[in-house]
mmCIF file of all heavy atoms in Angstrom:
data_model
loop_
_atom_site.group_PDB
_atom_site.id
_atom_site.type_symbol
_atom_site.label_atom_id
_atom_site.label_comp_id
_atom_site.label_asym_id
_atom_site.label_seq_id
_atom_site.Cartn_x
_atom_site.Cartn_y
_atom_site.Cartn_z
ATOM 1 N N ARG A 65 12.563 -53.931 3.632
ATOM 2 C CA ARG A 65 13.802 -54.605 3.560
ATOM 3 C C ARG A 65 13.664 -56.066 3.578
ATOM 4 O O ARG A 65 12.973 -56.669 4.413
ATOM 5 C CB ARG A 65 14.675 -54.057 4.675
ATOM 6 C CG ARG A 65 15.142 -52.751 4.578
ATOM 7 C CD ARG A 65 16.138 -52.385 5.742
ATOM 8 N NE ARG A 65 16.443 -51.054 5.600
ATOM 9 C CZ ARG A 65 17.723 -50.584 5.956
ATOM 10 N NH1 ARG A 65 18.565 -51.399 6.497
ATOM 11 N NH2 ARG A 65 18.047 -49.259 5.814
ATOM 12 N N ALA A 66 14.487 -56.773 2.743
ATOM 13 C CA ALA A 66 14.584 -58.197 2.781
ATOM 14 C C ALA A 66 15.532 -58.455 3.951
ATOM 15 O O ALA A 66 16.464 -57.795 4.175
ATOM 16 C CB ALA A 66 15.236 -58.742 1.457
ATOM 17 N N HIS A 67 15.257 -59.581 4.697
ATOM 18 C CA HIS A 67 16.048 -60.007 5.776
ATOM 19 C C HIS A 67 15.671 -61.474 5.960
ATOM 20 O O HIS A 67 14.502 -61.868 5.890
ATOM 21 C CB HIS A 67 15.800 -59.243 7.048
ATOM 22 C CG HIS A 67 16.733 -59.560 8.134
ATOM 23 N ND1 HIS A 67 16.554 -60.644 9.012
ATOM 24 C CD2 HIS A 67 17.789 -58.874 8.520
ATOM 25 C CE1 HIS A 67 17.496 -60.601 9.915
ATOM 26 N NE2 HIS A 67 18.344 -59.525 9.616
ATOM 27 N N PRO A 68 16.768 -62.346 6.420
ATOM 28 C CA PRO A 68 16.474 -63.748 6.522
ATOM 29 C C PRO A 68 15.464 -64.003 7.637
ATOM 30 O O PRO A 68 14.658 -65.091 7.456
ATOM 31 C CB PRO A 68 17.813 -64.314 6.954
ATOM 32 C CG PRO A 68 18.833 -63.288 6.532
ATOM 33 C CD PRO A 68 18.170 -62.008 6.602
ATOM 34 N N ASP A 69 15.208 -63.165 8.552
ATOM 35 C CA ASP A 69 14.099 -63.422 9.612
ATOM 36 C C ASP A 69 12.835 -62.881 9.241
ATOM 37 O O ASP A 69 11.812 -63.238 9.984
ATOM 38 C CB ASP A 69 14.676 -62.852 10.907
ATOM 39 C CG ASP A 69 15.965 -63.434 11.430
ATOM 40 O OD1 ASP A 69 16.166 -64.621 11.157
ATOM 41 O OD2 ASP A 69 16.718 -62.766 12.050
ATOM 42 N N ASN A 70 12.757 -62.088 8.213
ATOM 43 C CA ASN A 70 11.427 -61.510 7.828
ATOM 44 C C ASN A 70 10.630 -62.369 6.871
ATOM 45 O O ASN A 70 11.187 -63.235 6.183
ATOM 46 C CB ASN A 70 11.607 -60.144 7.147
ATOM 47 C CG ASN A 70 12.203 -59.135 8.048
ATOM 48 O OD1 ASN A 70 12.277 -59.260 9.301
ATOM 49 N ND2 ASN A 70 12.585 -57.995 7.514
ATOM 50 N N THR A 71 9.321 -62.207 6.764
ATOM 51 C CA THR A 71 8.613 -62.847 5.751
ATOM 52 C C THR A 71 9.188 -62.386 4.373
ATOM 53 O O THR A 71 9.595 -61.282 4.148
ATOM 54 C CB THR A 71 7.160 -62.351 5.747
ATOM 55 O OG1 THR A 71 6.507 -62.714 7.069
ATOM 56 C CG2 THR A 71 6.186 -62.944 4.820
ATOM 57 N N ALA A 72 9.145 -63.441 3.426
ATOM 58 C CA ALA A 72 9.774 -63.111 2.194
ATOM 59 C C ALA A 72 9.023 -61.957 1.436
ATOM 60 O O ALA A 72 7.886 -61.795 1.508
ATOM 61 C CB ALA A 72 9.777 -64.425 1.287
ATOM 62 N N LEU A 73 9.805 -61.325 0.574
ATOM 63 C CA LEU A 73 9.188 -60.316 -0.272
ATOM 64 C C LEU A 73 8.372 -61.013 -1.352
ATOM 65 O O LEU A 73 8.628 -62.114 -1.637
ATOM 66 C CB LEU A 73 10.384 -59.363 -0.906
ATOM 67 C CG LEU A 73 11.305 -58.705 0.094
ATOM 68 C CD1 LEU A 73 12.362 -57.980 -0.681
ATOM 69 C CD2 LEU A 73 10.448 -57.723 0.920
ATOM 70 N N GLY A 74 7.493 -60.226 -2.037
ATOM 71 C CA GLY A 74 6.651 -60.875 -2.996
ATOM 72 C C GLY A 74 7.408 -60.831 -4.387
ATOM 73 O O GLY A 74 6.902 -60.346 -5.364
ATOM 74 N N MET A 75 8.567 -61.374 -4.393
ATOM 75 C CA MET A 75 9.324 -61.483 -5.711
ATOM 76 C C MET A 75 10.389 -62.511 -5.450
ATOM 77 O O MET A 75 10.788 -62.856 -4.350
ATOM 78 C CB MET A 75 9.893 -60.179 -6.091
ATOM 79 C CG MET A 75 10.690 -59.458 -5.095
ATOM 80 S SD MET A 75 12.524 -59.574 -5.145
ATOM 81 C CE MET A 75 13.032 -59.799 -6.800
ATOM 82 N N GLN A 76 10.925 -63.047 -6.599
ATOM 83 C CA GLN A 76 12.064 -64.041 -6.584
ATOM 84 C C GLN A 76 12.835 -63.754 -7.793
ATOM 85 O O GLN A 76 12.445 -63.131 -8.786
ATOM 86 C CB GLN A 76 11.579 -65.410 -6.564
ATOM 87 C CG GLN A 76 10.988 -65.893 -7.914
ATOM 88 C CD GLN A 76 10.359 -67.339 -7.853
ATOM 89 O OE1 GLN A 76 9.711 -67.689 -6.949
ATOM 90 N NE2 GLN A 76 10.719 -68.068 -8.932
#
Side-chain angles (χ1 to χ4, degrees):
R65 287 183 180 215
H67 188 276
D69 297 334
N70 294 349
T71 301
L73 301 176
M75 52 97 35
Q76 73 183 46

